Amino acid sequence: MASKKMADGGLPVIARFEVRHRNYLAPDGSISRPLPAFASDATLLVALYRAMVLMRIFDRKAVALQRTGRLGTYAVSLGQEAVSVGTASAMRAEDVLLPSYRDNGALIWRGVGLEEILLFWGGDERGNHFSGPLQDFPFCVPVGSQAPHAAGAAYAFKLRREPRVAVCMFGDGATSKGDVYEAMNFAGVHKLPVVFVATNNQWAISVPLRLQTAAETLAQKAIAAGFIGEQVDGNDVVAMRAAAEEAIAAARDGQGPRFIEAVTYRLGDHTTADDAARYRPAEDVQAHWKEEPIARLRTFLVGQKMWSKAEEEQLATECHERIEAAVERYLTTEPRRPETMFDHLYGKLPKAYVAQRRELAGEDDV
């Protein structure tokens, strides 16, 4: 004890912090701690399950489209479906979602059409004029740049005294960007109604988490910004829904921002332009398949007599039919003319771009 006092100079401790970890369903589908009240609602749990299955089958089809030259580069959510679905399910329609490029599940839950997602990844901006809440932000491909936008939206909600919450989703790599910390710092200072959800899938493209940060958790990064950070089992959709529900409710109630670190694993490549086998061993990926969210929830539902083999087969049929119909609509959509790329850049198009637009449209220069 005396040596410890000498080591720290006998200085008093003025603050202590902690990060808690939340999970309810173990990888084998068993219950690890008392479930939240909503987990007794079979209709809700089945809806969460159906949404995750749809997302996985849709991803598979999108990759097939990309491989055959009918879609651009695409980012799959394989293994991460519980994060986006669980988070979005806790939001109200009037809240605002600011997604990354890997959060298709959240958009679909909020009403975005499958063909609209395909349009976007096919290079057609009409995909961003989607069927979901139009106040939601479009996919954000630059890493972390949506975080300042989220803080700005939340600041507007506070100024207008609107009971709305901005929910900003990004990957673990984004927490190494200044954009994210600056947004968190601003949100903490002003006690803004915003929830930051970091999907910790262990990899920022080919960079493992250990080479991104020396922090023991990503959740603790919220502490420096003055608000609560919680780590959640991102493969447990019940835990994700519960954590998002509590965080969004607190933000809506004027308690300021919250941060959720969803610990999961990216089972697929970073995008269709990546080959993850070049930088991570196959046995590591195989080990994480035992933790994936869909099988986990399905095992729980079956054990609780909430789901059956017949329902599983029917769901697969419904998903395939819905996806194929969306693909047909996407493929038969008349392409936009090249000059329309200028149509949503400015309120009034600068003169230099006016000339370029006319050239692309084949119009005479006036």
Side-chain angles (χ1 to χ4, degrees):
M1 192 69 180
S3 61
K4 185 176 185 302
K5 284 185 177 179
M6 289 180 64
D8 62 20
L11 300 176
V13 174
I14 60 170
R16 295 185 188 277
F17 306 98
E18 64 181 16
V19 174
R20 299 193 176 190
H21 179 84
R22 182 193 298 257
N23 85 298
Y24 297 102
L25 300 181
D28 63 0
S30 61
I31 301 172
S32 56
R33 60 171 45 84
L35 296 172
F38 70 78
S40 62
D41 184 346
T43 301
L44 173 58
L45 293 188
V46 167
L48 295 172
Y49 178 72
R50 292 174 64 90
M52 291 194 295
V53 171
L54 174 64
M55 186 66 256
R56 184 163 295 184
I57 298 175
F58 177 72
D59 270 353
R60 194 180 305 143
K61 184 64 178 182
V63 170
L65 290 170
Q66 190 278 331
R67 297 303 191 215
T68 53
R70 294 178 290 174
L71 196 68
T73 301
Y74 183 80
V76 300
S77 305
L78 186 62
Q80 303 178 199
E81 296 90 350
V83 180
S84 56
V85 171
T87 299
S89 71
M91 297 175 64
R92 294 180 183 173
E94 64 268 24
D95 294 331
V96 169
L97 176 68
L98 296 97
S100 75
Y101 50 80
R102 206 185 299 278
D103 296 312
N104 289 327
L107 275 74
I108 293 170
W109 183 276
R110 288 177 63 76
V112 175
L114 301 181
E115 66 275 17
E116 293 168 332
I117 292 174
L118 293 173
L119 277 172
F120 172 80
W121 292 110
D124 192 327
E125 283 296 331
R126 286 176 293 183
N128 279 328
H129 189 65
F130 43 63
S131 304
L134 283 178
Q135 73 270 15
D136 283 357
F137 280 56
F139 289 104
C140 185
V141 177
V143 175
S145 65
Q146 73 273 41
H149 302 159
Y155 193 64
F157 299 158
K158 184 171 182 177
L159 282 176
R160 298 170 182 167
R161 302 181 184 276
E162 296 174 347
R164 303 167 70 191
V165 177
V167 177
C168 182
M169 306 185 72
F170 43 74
D172 49 276
T175 65
S176 300
K177 295 290 294 292
D179 312 54
V180 171
Y181 182 70
E182 289 160 16
M184 289 170 58
N185 188 61
F186 183 82
V189 168
H190 296 284
K191 295 192 68 175
L192 300 182
V194 56
V195 175
F196 299 100
V197 180
T199 302
N200 180 2
N201 67 14
Q202 316 297 313
W203 293 92
I205 310 183
S206 59
V207 181
L209 188 66
R210 62 182 174 80
L211 295 181
Q212 292 182 57
T213 180
E216 188 173 354
T217 68
L218 297 182
Q220 71 198 59
K221 296 192 175 191
I223 295 171
F227 53 93
I228 295 173
E230 178 183 18
Q231 189 182 83
V232 180
D233 183 344
N235 294 318
D236 177 1
V237 73
V238 174
M240 282 305 308
R241 160 83 184 211
E245 196 171 63
E246 289 184 15
I248 292 171
R252 198 185 313 280
D253 193 42
Q255 297 178 38
R258 294 291 180 93
F259 186 99
I260 297 172
E261 175 192 357
V263 181
T264 181
Y265 194 82
R266 194 193 77 213
L267 293 173
D269 297 329
H270 175 68
T271 68
T272 50
D274 175 46
D275 179 9
R278 297 176 60 189
Y279 52 82
R280 62 183 190 185
E283 54 268 26
D284 286 358
V285 180
Q286 192 60 40
H288 282 286
W289 268 103
K290 299 175 182 178
E291 304 168 349
E292 65 99 355
I294 293 179
R296 183 183 304 204
L297 182 58
R298 179 172 60 243
T299 302
F300 171 77
L301 291 174
V302 171
Q304 298 294 312
K305 310 298 183 186
M306 296 178 179
W307 193 246
S308 67
K309 182 179 179 180
E311 289 172 310
E312 183 73 20
E313 293 173 350
Q314 179 62 30
L315 173 60
T317 299
E318 291 175 5
C319 288
H320 282 293
E321 290 176 351
R322 179 178 173 185
I323 291 167
E324 289 301 326
V327 170
E328 180 64 18
R329 291 191 293 271
Y330 160 64
L331 293 176
T332 56
T333 299
E334 188 70 24
R336 298 193 72 172
R337 292 180 58 82
E339 67 270 17
T340 62
M341 73 173 74
F342 295 99
D343 289 353
H344 301 288
L345 293 178
Y346 298 91
K348 181 179 180 181
L349 199 62
K351 186 176 181 180
Y353 290 154
V354 170
Q356 292 179 31
R357 190 185 191 287
R358 286 177 174 169
E359 181 180 355
L360 280 174
E363 299 174 356
D364 294 331
D365 193 11
V366 179

